[in-house]
Amino acid sequence: MAENDALTIETIRAGGKRALSRALSSIETRDGRPEIIRLLDEAAAAARGHVLGLTGPPGVGKSTLTDTLIRHWRSVGETVGVIAVDPSSQITQGALLGDRTRLKTDPEDTGVFVRSMAARDRLGGLSDHALGAVVLMRAIYDHVIVESVGIGQSEADIATVADTVLLCIQPGSGDSLQFMKAGVMELPDVVAVTKADLGDSARRAVADVEGALTLARADDGWRVPVILISAAAGTGLDVLLSAVGDHAEWLSKGERLRDSRLSQARQWIGQAIRSRFGTEGLKQVAGDLASADPAEPFAEIARWGDTVRKRLATG
């Protein structure tokens, strides 16, 4: 696909991995151009895949779990796209782990695609262009895994792109207590306590998390499961896969998934304005954004950006 070729979901699907890779590069290098806005709004309307947001502190085993999820879904014939958001090089601003050596995927397998993206200066655990990549990839694959750089008080972006948020916690390191203080227990739909082979400390972590969820989680009709797993021993993974599937099925009932994605799109518009113009820029339109059309979020981002620019220019 040459740069001047028409960018559409169909041409990208037909072009395979190479076409998708070029389209993702175009999102990064041609951000805000009319053809990219059209492509992303087309992709938003054509969403077909389930998006799993996988987050947790470094070293908790996210990449090992991602590897397991890829193998499972490919074994049953389902396609998988992965967006792995890594820490950034302070020199190149590129992803430090850009080669994704931790994921063992077959480069000849057309049903799996892995894209590494640098977090750069975003505190939210996702890169600036990860949103567009998620929207595009969920229009192409059955499953999209978004593996974020980490989790913390200011790292909740994952919830604005994922249908299901899977939080991984490592026992015995104080992480669970820190998460509780940060209010992160409001975010997950499924919690995995990794390294079950640690025994008593892993079981204590499960109890701590269950207690925190009771205090922090709003009652929306979904009970967040806390699952003890060990990737090394291969235990608990089937239960975890079932829990992720159960949440996807729960979302599919009625208008839950539709309403959730429309709510996310509204958040994207406000976040984009704040990212580009700061808090003062967001104040210029904050009272008006309720009228934004979440069905075409990227066109709305451009439109409201123009509005903010004009209002700031006129004082």
Side-chain angles (χ1 to χ4, degrees), residues 9-141:
I9 298 301
E10 288 307 315
T11 58
I12 295 169
R13 286 174 179 161
K17 286 184 174 183
R18 181 171 294 182
L20 176 57
S21 181
R22 289 177 178 172
L24 292 172
S25 294
S26 292
I27 290 172
E28 294 182 337
T29 59
R30 297 154 66 188
D31 183 30
R33 296 190 184 181
E35 66 272 20
I36 299 301
I37 292 170
R38 284 194 297 270
L39 173 66
L40 292 177
D41 279 338
E42 178 192 358
R48 56 176 274 194
H50 174 260
V51 182
L52 176 67
L54 181 56
T55 192
V60 75
K62 296 190 298 292
S63 292
T64 300
L65 186 51
T66 297
D67 214 30
T68 299
L69 291 165
I70 292 171
R71 289 200 308 271
H72 168 75
W73 283 323
R74 291 303 296 133
S75 73
V76 294
E78 295 175 336
T79 57
V80 188
V82 180
I83 299 169
V85 184
D86 281 322
S88 306
S89 165
Q90 294 299 309
I91 299 173
T92 67
Q93 293 299 301
L96 287 174
L97 302 176
D99 57 359
R100 302 310 298 168
T101 55
R102 294 170 293 167
L103 296 183
K104 305 176 183 66
T105 59
D106 180 0
E108 301 302 318
D109 184 356
T110 59
V112 60
F113 180 92
V114 178
R115 181 76 166 197
S116 187
M117 305 186 83
R120 297 191 170 93
D121 59 353
R122 283 292 294 274
L123 293 177
L126 299 179
S127 76
D128 287 332
H129 298 107
L131 169 58
V134 172
V135 170
L136 183 57
M137 289 171 69
R138 76 180 185 186
I140 295 172
Y141 293 101

Side-chain angles (χ1 to χ4, degrees), residues 1 29 104 120 144 162-163 170 181 202 214 230 243 265 293:
M1 182 189 301
T29 59
K104 305 176 183 66
R120 297 191 170 93
V144 178
D163 300 318
Q170 177 176 321
K181 289 179 179 178
T214 301
S230 171
D293 182 4

Side-chain angles (χ1 to χ4, degrees), residues 112-241:
V112 60
F113 180 92
V114 178
R115 181 76 166 197
S116 187
M117 305 186 83
R120 297 191 170 93
D121 59 353
R122 283 292 294 274
L123 293 177
L126 299 179
S127 76
D128 287 332
H129 298 107
L131 169 58
V134 172
V135 170
L136 183 57
M137 289 171 69
R138 76 180 185 186
I140 295 172
Y141 293 101
D142 297 318
H143 300 274
V144 178
I145 301 172
V146 185
E147 182 188 327
S148 79
V149 68
I151 193 73
Q153 197 158 10
S154 59
E155 296 178 304
D157 280 8
I158 196 79
T160 68
V161 298
D163 300 318
T164 299
V165 176
L166 171 56
L167 171 63
C168 297
I169 292 177
Q170 177 176 321
S173 62
D175 290 332
S176 59
L177 179 59
Q178 193 62 38
F179 292 161
M180 292 174 212
K181 289 179 179 178
V184 174
M185 286 303 165
E186 298 173 358
L187 300 178
D189 302 297
V190 180
V191 178
V193 176
T194 64
K195 305 184 181 179
D197 47 294
L198 293 179
D200 288 344
S201 64
R203 286 187 288 272
R204 282 195 300 271
V206 170
D208 289 345
V209 171
E210 288 176 337
L213 286 167
T214 301
L215 297 173
R217 184 79 180 194
D219 185 7
D220 59 1
W222 170 256
R223 184 179 180 277
V224 179
V226 182
I227 300 160
L228 196 56
I229 68 170
S230 171
T235 58
L237 297 174
D238 288 344
V239 179
L240 180 62
L241 285 164

